[in-house]
Amino acid sequence: MLQEKKALIFSAFLIGAGIANLHAKVFTFPVHGLEVAAEEAVPTQAEWEENWLLESKPADYHHGIARIAALFSEISYVPVEKNPSSNELVASYRLLGFTDKNIECNYILDYTTPISGNNQAAYSFAVKDFKDSKHGEKLVFVILRGTPLNANEWISNVNVSDTTKKNVDVHEGFQKTSENIKFSLCDFLTKYDIKAENARFLIAGHSRGAALANILGAQLADENIIPAENMFVYTFAAPNVSQEDKTSDKSYSFIWNIVNAEDIVPTVPPNRNNWKWKKYGQTKVLTNYWNTDPETYLNNYLPRMNAYYKTFLLREYAPFKIGPFIHIQVARILTAVYKTVESYYRTFFGLRNMSELIFKKIFPEEEVENEEENQEESASFFLRFIQRIVNQNIKNGFEYAMDAFVDMHACESYLAWMLALDESEAFSELGSFQIVIQESYDCAVYSEEGNLLCRVLDGSVELSSLKIPISACPLPNKTVIGFPKNQNVNVVIHKDSLIPTVVPYNVEHYDAAGILTKESERHYFFPHSGTVLHFNSGSIGDDTEKIEVSHKKRKEAAKISKEYGLKQSDSFKVYGEFSATSDSIFSGGGVFGTRDFYGTVSGEFFKKKGSSMHGFSLGAGHQTTIYGRFLMDIEGREHFLWLKDGSSSSTFATVPSGRLTLSYKPIHRLQFFAGMTFDFHISDFNDEAFADTLRKDYIPSINFTDNLEAFPSLVFGIRF
């Protein structure tokens, strides 16, 4: 069975690899790493030919070299310090012809050292002679491990500029760590008499190791320690390392950064607003559901990737299928909250300090049994709460999301994609766009087949309506809706208001990695009752500034509004309500029904200087949107009251009334309202309810006839 599985994997590999590099030899690597669920190392086949590094130019991407770099980046996570001479990393070096005496592994780290502290990383160096070299060239591997399961190196990851707590050009934690590795590498070159100009270097790593490889390659080239034309640097899921303008210079074209657009790690520190963090060199983005043909992705690429992934994690890969949307929103929010590096280091609510506390909780130096049990119990309660909320909207959504958050960044994911697909399939340059819409509006996004993909009501995203490939994020007073450029969907904007509502929006364009490339000026939609605005996402090009819409009117508009749930006047809702009048009458109750016609029931109370009144009211009303978030209610009510005026006996009275209010709706349900009530005094019918001890004429009454007058009062309240 195992042999059949190996054959299947190898066959998939050959299909992905094509017929190129037929002279390369196939090796079976013992793959193990941080997330590998298999107990034993997973035999994984890949081609290798060391002469690739002699025959190729580092500035030209080479898929075969990248695959080997991914394999070693994965295997670098094995605990080498436990078995220095017998582990998967050393075994992999031996496979490629490196001898034990020429392999050095630095995996025993002391984070208490005063100079380096947390700014350390595990790494390995290895050197060998090229077999067929005519000039005595040497091959050098520099493999840098990513972040292990300890707090120290995680703290180094968030060390943007701990020393000065001010803005810097290069990430302090990564820079100091790479400096230490650079000095060790120089010692290694001296020890083995390696002439940099007569050697080829493969430098690779994943995550933190990728950031170190990225910055190390740039340092070695800048300082002329190793010629750029002799270095092949391949990084996987590298965080951003520098704010220097020169990061994309051609002098760093030997550095190749391979990222998963769904992975948040390659986007931090962020590249947005005042934060300008980037990577040195060139970036290639792995294929995903948003940047390639979705049918090909689901039916071809993903199954081939899973042929590898299931051998590593014993389950299938869980993609988000919404490209870079999540990490774009994270960057949007973080850069709005932490506008500068100084705010990142704030004493209270500073992200730097909070991150360190979290890391120390997750990776404690000493485990206390009772405390650990309490933490697990608290975490379990919190997770169960989140799980219940998520799964109410999306079936098994919580479990899938947990897997997806692991998979987006796991080195095993990167390795599986690299092995499963050839260069023409593995990467894409297709970007995406987002529409940021402000204020109050109703919106539906639906497929060409008419299936609802997203609904927004009163500017608030209805999370239960979200379907792939559309995603949306609710933010204060605005909504962000994300669209892939590989699929066409329909979008309708509506507002059931008497006056055309001004709805500001702007369009943001992103490249395949999720980097903002263009942002339009502010433009406006003008939806109103009886008109629906429509456009296709496929009409939004890379340079689109203003969205051209068509107007659906009358019957067609009513049909669209009803079909996609935008006609809110038809939806049945229940609200709570509290109010008070200028006559000091307090009431609380409920509102139930549609906006066109709703019923009310409330209890009422008044007490002052020996006089009191209590009772309840029943009523009916109609609500209309005037403009945006402003609404008008017209209501009729009948009050049933028991009155006391300094005596022990009670008097019963009924009072008809009308109420006219204006409401402001800041969010989907909440409404603040103010207006006038008009209580009707009918002579010889309800005189007791209008006694001077119960009602003061703060506002003059309105006489209609000798027997009928209206007593107005101000009313203020809230619905929720």
Side-chain angles (χ1 to χ4, degrees), residues 677-695:
T677 65
F678 299 89
D679 293 338
F680 292 96
H681 176 203
I682 304 172
S683 298
D684 300 326
F685 175 72
N686 56 11
D687 298 333
E688 297 86 351
F690 294 88
D692 291 342
T693 55
L694 294 173
R695 182 183 295 274

Side-chain angles (χ1 to χ4, degrees), residues 37 43 61 92 120 185 264 322 387 395 409 436 477 489 635 668 693 718:
Y61 175 82
S92 298
Q120 300 182 63
L185 178 59
I264 194 172
I322 50 174
Q387 180 181 22
K395 185 178 180 180
H409 183 62
V436 183
N477 209 30
V489 297
E635 302 172 53
H668 188 38
T693 55
I718 181 173

